[in-house]
Amino acid sequence: MYFKKKNNKSSSEVNLAPLIDVLTCTVGIMLFVVIFAVLAARGASIKYLTPLQKEPPANSEKRLFICKKGRIKPFSIKSALDSLLANSKATYKNIPTLIARANAKNIHDLFYTYSFSYDDYIEGDWFNYSRIRVVSITIHELDSLGGDNADQIQLNNSRFANFMSSIDSAHNWIAFALCDEESIEVFRTARNIVIKKGIPNGWDPSKIKFPLVIPLIGSDSPDDFGIPQ
Amino acid sequence: MALLSKKNELSVSLFPMFNILVSTLGVLIFIMCSITVLSFGKTKTVRIVQQKRDSLHKFPHHLVWDGNSLILLEKKDTVRFNIDLAKIKTFEQSHDSILKVIRGSETERFFQHVKAHADSEYIVILVRASGFGSFLDLRNFIKQEGIDIGYEPFENSSKIIL
């Protein structure tokens, strides 16, 4: 009896069309990614709007933001000073009491702690001397990595966005203290948000380091200590 | 007796096709990695688009400050300071030091030109991060010369071209 020899190649009989589809799609996607990466690598288009330094608008309040270690956070001693003064006028007589009371409150916000000190000393020699009385505020960072990064501030419900929405562009201006290279990106992002809100702004390089001690200079008047409000 | 069906379809081995696929993917991934490394590396270029002169706006001249050298982009003139302005105690002393360094250079003539046309021209300093510490001395010098100034921060690694 004669048997026809069976062909053994049945497993390799495959239609190549789907594989070519897969190849084409993959190559297409990869080419798109490559083109995008090339465009990104060739150079950043930095857009800045005539950065001519101008004086801040008259009668507007400065709002300072510190850009450090890739993060941005607000900086203000106003609330600490409010706690110090507590609706009373500071004089040479009552300032030690006010300071003791303020320090007992352990003043802090989300990013910093504040404490006050009072120095009363004589400077000069026996015949020519002056009495120096200075109140200083010392600010400690709660966390050096605190604050928002460039991605976080772009969220609609970010602290930065909420703050920008809460302030009046006619009576406030934003000052950025830029501390390092790492923070240039967050500074640019934040400034774009501020510009979109129509708020005047400016920046300066900063060498700010914590703990930061700011002397609050006394005035010539014997009663009024002249602490900035 | 039943006959076996005869198939006329072409039989192809898939191995060469897989080779092509894997090779193509490999090459593209290599290109992608190279470009990614380049984009994060030292070759990032920032091109400053020069503003056209008109009667409504002041014309900006761009300089780059990195803490040690002041580069006048238009004329590609570089003045090296070799002193740390941040360590000089007063603005008066740093002003004198800057004057001393730029004396006789193209940059000094440039400052004099902008000063003479201060109503229609101003200077934009592109401040690299390495120049943050001493920039206030330079800014004060330029302002004392009666020249309007603007400034922008830039990364140390970016290449700035006009």
Side-chain angles (χ1 to χ4, degrees):
Chain A
M1 193 177 169
Y2 173 72
F3 291 95
K4 191 175 178 182
K5 196 176 179 183
K6 201 175 177 180
N7 191 355
N8 261 341
K9 290 183 179 176
S10 60
S11 62
S12 63
E13 290 169 5
V14 179
N15 188 355
L16 279 179
L19 195 63
I20 292 172
D21 286 349
V22 171
L23 178 64
T24 310
C25 288
T26 312
V27 171
I29 290 168
M30 298 290 273
L31 280 176
F32 177 77
V33 173
V34 168
I35 290 167
F36 184 77
V38 168
L39 288 176
R42 279 191 67 182
S45 170
I46 305 292
K47 188 179 179 184
Y48 58 91
L49 307 168
T50 55
L52 179 59
Q53 191 191 26
K54 293 174 185 168
E55 291 300 316
N59 303 320
S60 61
E61 191 177 344
K62 176 182 173 183
R63 306 289 193 147
L64 178 62
F65 282 83
I66 296 176
C67 303
K68 194 178 167 193
K69 294 184 179 173
R71 291 175 179 271
I72 186 168
K73 49 187 169 185
F75 179 83
S76 171
I77 59 171
K78 191 173 183 299
S79 59
L81 290 177
D82 289 343
S83 295
L84 171 71
L85 297 173
N87 297 324
S88 56
K89 191 177 178 183
T91 62
Y92 284 123
K93 197 174 177 182
N94 72 355
I95 195 69
T97 312
L98 290 177
I99 286 174
R101 200 182 297 162
N103 287 341
K105 289 180 196 169
N106 191 20
I107 307 165
H108 67 276
D109 56 25
L110 279 174
F111 306 107
Y112 311 100
T113 62
Y114 306 90
S115 59
F116 294 93
S117 59
Y118 176 55
D119 291 313
D120 184 352
Y121 57 94
I122 305 292
E123 200 172 75
D125 54 32
W126 183 264
F127 300 103
N128 185 19
Y129 64 90
S130 52
R131 187 176 179 189
I132 309 291
R133 290 180 279 197
V134 177
V135 172
S136 300
I137 182 168
T138 305
I139 302 142
H140 288 266
E141 258 182 323
L142 278 174
D143 176 10
S144 64
L145 290 177
D148 297 329
N149 62 27
D151 294 328
Q152 288 167 334
I153 61 170
Q154 292 182 75
L155 301 173
N156 289 332
N157 59 352
S158 70
R159 280 180 294 218
F160 188 77
N162 288 337
F163 179 80
M164 287 305 141
S165 301
S166 71
I167 63 167
D168 175 13
S169 61
H171 300 102
N172 294 276
W173 70 282
I174 306 297
F176 295 102
L178 185 52
C179 296
D180 50 36
E181 182 175 19
E182 202 183 336
S183 309
I184 293 178
E185 188 191 352
V186 71
F187 157 70
R188 284 189 184 130
T189 311
R191 187 175 60 174
N192 284 341
I193 294 170
V194 170
I195 289 171
K196 276 183 190 166
K197 297 273 181 191
I199 304 169
N201 63 88
W203 78 278
D204 267 339
S206 171
K207 291 183 275 188
I208 196 164
K209 280 182 184 168
F210 293 94
L212 178 67
V213 180
I214 304 174
L216 308 167
I217 310 295
S219 73
D220 294 334
S221 164
D223 292 327
D224 182 5
F225 210 84
I227 291 174
Q229 298 292 312
Chain B
M1 196 172 80
L3 291 173
L4 285 170
S5 63
K6 190 178 178 182
K7 290 184 179 176
N8 291 325
E9 289 176 25
L10 188 65
S11 301
V12 181
S13 169
L14 279 180
F15 285 110
M17 198 63 191
F18 277 121
N19 286 345
I20 293 170
L21 178 64
V22 172
S23 303
T24 312
L25 287 178
V27 170
L28 285 172
I29 287 170
F30 176 75
I31 293 171
M32 257 182 61
C33 292
S34 307
I35 289 168
T36 308
V37 168
L38 286 176
S39 67
F40 286 112
K42 293 184 174 181
T43 54
K44 197 161 194 173
T45 303
V46 177
R47 182 180 293 277
I48 305 296
V49 180
Q50 187 68 287
Q51 184 182 310
K52 288 179 181 172
R53 283 180 187 268
D54 61 42
S55 55
L56 295 174
H57 303 98
K58 285 192 167 193
F59 182 76
H61 296 278
H62 294 85
L63 291 97
V64 179
W65 171 247
D66 64 5
N68 186 45
S69 54
L70 187 63
I71 304 160
L72 178 55
L73 285 178
E74 289 165 26
K75 301 186 178 178
K76 293 187 172 58
D77 183 58
T78 302
V79 176
R80 296 197 190 284
F81 279 68
N82 297 324
I83 47 167
D84 189 356
L85 292 178
K87 286 183 180 170
I88 298 175
K89 284 183 180 173
T90 64
F91 279 134
E92 286 75 22
Q93 287 172 334
S94 59
H95 184 272
D96 292 342
S97 300
I98 294 170
L99 265 182
K100 200 174 170 183
V101 171
I102 67 170
R103 190 166 293 149
S105 69
E106 185 67 39
T107 304
E108 187 190 27
R109 287 187 285 279
F110 162 77
F111 277 133
Q112 286 166 354
H113 167 82
V114 179
K115 193 176 174 179
H117 300 84
D119 53 338
S120 59
E121 297 178 13
Y122 72 106
I123 284 175
V124 175
I125 306 284
L126 311 174
V127 190
R128 291 196 187 279
S130 58
F132 282 0
S134 51
F135 172 66
L136 295 182
D137 293 271
L138 180 66
R139 184 180 72 180
N140 190 62
F141 168 80
I142 293 170
K143 285 172 93 172
Q144 279 188 348
E145 291 293 308
I147 300 169
D148 282 339
I149 185 173
Y151 43 97
E152 274 289 300
F154 278 92
E155 289 83 357
N156 287 328
S157 57
S158 57
K159 186 182 175 187
I160 301 171
I161 55 173
L162 196 61

